[in-house]
């Protein structure tokens, strides 16, 4: 009787973990370097060559708002967003924001006439908490591939993009400070899932395989 009860509890637990894995947000760690920074409002600690660290978190169950067969638009509200450590500042997406963070995925998008088909991966946010008079008005990370071989679907991925698969890789930050506006351009040099995300995905794959 006890053995049967233990087996029943184990089965229930496995199903609960599997459902939890499907619902757990994905967090991607990013790091990179600034290649250009200018503007009268730019803090003195942020300049060409400075490195940064950050994360962005999203929900893979977010529905696609586009009906297009080659592009997906995944709009997120709080608590999803971006956290950036840059030049001694910790910039975070504002709490309780509504639809101010999104990820866009393009697979074999026809693109403009002079560019032609391309794959793209965009991470965008325009709601950050001001810090010491410094405000980020928008953050956009663009990955483009005109050989349109970087991805094979416009679905929201469960892991980080493979940077070497993309021929164009830039992020743009526009903001304002005590003395005016500023703009920052840079490159993401590393993008990896957080260890917890990797562990949960692995558990999810094992459990899904067992359930088939």
């Amino acid at each position: 009787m006890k053995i049967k009860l233990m087996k029943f509890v184990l089965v229930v637990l496995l199903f609960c973990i599997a459902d939890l894995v499907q619902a757990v947000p994905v967090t991607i760690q990013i790091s990179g370097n600034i290649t250009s920074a200018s503007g009268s409002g730019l803090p003195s600690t942020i300049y060409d060559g400075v490195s940064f660290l950050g994360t962005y978190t999203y929900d893979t169950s977010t529905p696609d708002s586009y009906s297009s067969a080659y592009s997906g638009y995944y709009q997120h509200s709080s608590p999803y967003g971006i956290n950036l450590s840059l030049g001694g500042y910790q910039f975070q997406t504002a709490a309780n924001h509504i639809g101010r963070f999104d990820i866009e995925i393009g697979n074999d998008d026809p693109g403009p006439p002079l560019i032609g088909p391309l794959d793209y991966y965009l991470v965008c946010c325009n709601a950050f908490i001001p810090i010491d008079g410094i405000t980020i008005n928008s953050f956009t990370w663009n990955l483009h591939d005109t050989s349109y071989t970087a991805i094979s679907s416009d679905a929201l991925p469960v892991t980080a993009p493979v940077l070497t698969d993309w021929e164009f890789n830039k992020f743009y930050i526009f903001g304002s400070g005590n003395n005016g506006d500023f703009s920052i351009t840079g490159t993401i040099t590393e993008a990896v899932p957080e260890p917890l995300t990797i562990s949960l995905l692995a558990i999810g794959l094992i459990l899904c395989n067992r359930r088939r």
Side-chain angles (χ1 to χ4, degrees), residues 84-103:
L84 298 175
S85 179
L86 172 62
Y89 294 87
Q90 195 72 33
F91 298 106
Q92 300 180 50
T93 300
N96 301 318
H97 74 90
I98 300 176
R100 305 291 292 278
F101 169 69
D102 62 81
I103 297 178

Side-chain angles (χ1 to χ4, degrees), residues 74-153:
Y74 304 93
Q75 188 176 43
H76 290 70
S77 297
S78 180
Y80 301 103
I82 300 176
N83 190 328
L84 298 175
S85 179
L86 172 62
Y89 294 87
Q90 195 72 33
F91 298 106
Q92 300 180 50
T93 300
N96 301 318
H97 74 90
I98 300 176
R100 305 291 292 278
F101 169 69
D102 62 81
I103 297 178
E104 299 180 41
I105 309 292
N107 175 49
D108 297 350
D109 189 309
L114 296 180
I115 297 178
L118 78 163
D119 290 347
Y120 62 83
Y121 181 102
L122 282 74
V123 178
C124 309
C125 184
N126 59 0
F128 285 88
I129 301 172
I131 301 177
D132 297 333
I134 306 299
T135 302
I136 289 182
N137 299 320
S138 67
F139 170 95
T140 304
W141 178 28
N142 294 326
L143 293 173
H144 291 170
D145 174 38
T146 55
S147 70
Y148 50 96
T149 59
I151 55 177
S152 57
S153 168

Side-chain angles (χ1 to χ4, degrees), residues 14-59:
L14 289 175
F15 273 91
C16 289
I17 293 175
D19 291 337
L20 178 62
V21 169
Q22 294 173 6
V24 168
V26 170
T27 296
I28 306 298
Q29 295 179 345
I30 53 176
S31 59
N33 302 298
I34 293 174
T35 56
S36 175
S38 62
S40 58
L42 189 71
S44 60
T45 55
I46 300 177
Y47 48 87
D48 297 7
V50 168
S51 60
F52 83 98
L53 298 172
T55 61
Y56 62 97
T57 302
Y58 60 94
D59 182 359

Side-chain angles (χ1 to χ4, degrees), residues 180-195:
D181 298 332
F182 61 85
S183 63
I184 300 170
T185 302
T187 300
I188 303 294
T189 56
E190 185 176 42
V192 296
E194 282 196 334

